[in-house]
Amino acid sequence: MGYIEEIRAAVGHRPLILPGAAVLVLDHQNRVLLQRRREGLWGVPGGFMELGESAKDTARREVQEETGLVIGELTLAGVFSGQDTWVQLPNGDEFYSVTIAYISRNYRGQPQADGVESTDAGFFALESLPSPMHRKFQDVVTMLVSAFCHSSAPSSHG
């Protein structure tokens, strides 16, 4: 049983605050890495923090688990929290996410879905994002790509 499951066993469906990280990975053409999650919605790779894990470690682990890419340098892009982050799962569990968002142009490998959390992964031009897009990622992706796509941050991939 994992950490979140242990908390759920103690508090039931009551709202929790769950910290996590997400990474907007950009390739040399300023295309954004997206993954299609099991429920069919597209979004950026990310997930919840594990006990004792740093936010950067969470970000790197989640990208590698979900897409196979190994992430190098990360740049803090923002922290997303508040009323808009409330989620109620089909089983009745409620939570508010606190997402530490990073941007990276520094990665190794080719995107490949893990087949567990994601069913597809790839780079997409901002003008042709796939749909349906997860509601909480649509505006974030657009905002972050617009702000950072002309960045002079070093790029490394292969």
Side-chain angles (χ1 to χ4, degrees):
M1 182 181 305
Y3 174 69
I4 295 173
E5 291 83 4
E6 288 178 19
I7 293 174
R8 282 287 172 214
V11 302
H13 298 300
R14 291 179 40 207
L16 299 175
I17 298 172
L18 298 177
V23 183
L24 190 72
V25 181
L26 298 172
D27 71 4
H28 67 283
Q29 297 173 4
N30 288 328
R31 296 178 305 169
V32 61
L33 175 67
L34 297 174
Q35 65 171 2
R36 183 180 1 222
R37 295 189 177 267
R38 287 180 308 213
E39 70 274 8
L41 300 176
W42 289 89
V44 297
F48 295 122
M49 191 176 286
E50 294 180 0
L51 287 177
E53 191 173 45
S54 74
K56 283 186 175 182
D57 288 344
T58 300
R60 287 187 180 103
R61 175 182 53 78
E62 289 290 342
V63 172
Q64 188 167 9
E65 285 177 1
E66 296 172 0
T67 71
L69 295 183
V70 176
I71 298 296
E73 184 178 338
L74 292 165
T75 301
L76 181 64
V79 178
F80 299 90
S81 61
Q83 292 285 47
D84 291 344
T85 69
W86 176 79
V87 173
Q88 183 170 29
L89 300 175
N91 69 358
D93 289 354
E94 297 179 53
F95 67 89
Y96 290 86
S97 63
V98 177
T99 303
I100 298 108
Y102 295 98
I103 289 188
S104 182
R105 294 176 179 272
N106 185 276
Y107 63 90
R108 289 192 328 262
Q110 295 297 318
Q112 183 174 1
D114 68 357
V116 177
E117 291 187 53
S118 58
T119 60
D120 197 1
F123 286 98
F124 296 87
L126 189 58
E127 309 81 46
S128 57
L129 295 177
S131 63
M133 183 79 113
H134 195 289
R135 69 171 174 83
K136 75 177 186 179
F137 292 125
Q138 179 75 49
D139 294 336
V140 171
V141 167
T142 302
M143 177 189 70
L144 293 178
V145 169
S146 296
F148 287 89
C149 72
H150 300 292
S151 164
S152 60
S155 175
S156 167
H157 49 81

